[in-house]
Amino acid sequence: MYEDKTIVCADCGQEFTFTASEQAFYAEKGFTDSPKRCKPCRQSRKSQRNSGGYGDSGGYGSSSGGYGGNGGGSYGGGGGGYDRPPRQMYDATCADCGRTAQVPFQPTGSRPVYCNDCFRARR
């Protein structure tokens, strides 16, 4: 049913064989196109994607931080291939102790705001 094909790698220009068994595997997985790269070039691209070092985009699978996503439990985080500006902080008065606190949202006065110490004590 399938016959071996010789294909030229799009990256290195070397010829490689797309075997009949590989073609059957691709068909079983639902892939309709033949590979464009030889196995070493495919592995190289895959390792670049997984390490986050693919081009200037920061990688496809790199960790993007998010809420607690950087392991430190803080908001924001690394990855993504760009520098995030510092988060804007707002002054607020703690509803328990009256000290000035810095919070990452603009208080509206509709709910109490607590400093870090009082917030931890309430948890």
Side-chain angles (χ1 to χ4, degrees):
M1 183 166 162
Y2 296 106
E3 293 182 18
D4 289 358
K5 292 183 188 178
T6 301
I7 301 174
V8 176
C9 177
D11 283 352
C12 68
Q14 296 290 325
E15 289 186 350
F16 67 96
T17 303
F18 186 37
T19 65
S21 62
E22 289 173 328
Q23 292 174 47
F25 175 79
Y26 271 51
E28 181 181 309
K29 296 293 181 185
F31 302 136
T32 56
D33 295 331
S34 299
K36 292 180 175 60
R37 293 172 181 82
C38 62
K39 191 169 186 171
C41 288
R42 286 194 314 259
Q43 289 174 337
S44 175
R45 285 176 61 94
K46 184 177 180 181
S47 68
Q48 286 175 334
R49 273 196 316 264
N50 291 339
S51 70
Y54 189 73
D56 291 339
S57 66
Y60 293 107
S62 65
S63 64
S64 61
Y67 293 104
N70 63 358
S74 62
Y75 292 32
Y82 63 92
D83 290 326
R84 182 177 289 176
R87 177 171 243 175
Q88 178 162 359
M89 300 296 278
Y90 299 90
D91 288 329
T93 303
C94 178
D96 275 353
C97 68
R99 288 187 296 176
T100 301
Q102 290 272 308
V103 293
F105 56 90
Q106 182 136 23
T108 61
S110 62
R111 302 183 80 191
V113 177
Y114 303 102
C115 66
N116 282 338
D117 295 333
C118 294
F119 180 75
R120 277 192 222 109
R122 293 178 142 287
R123 287 176 102 182

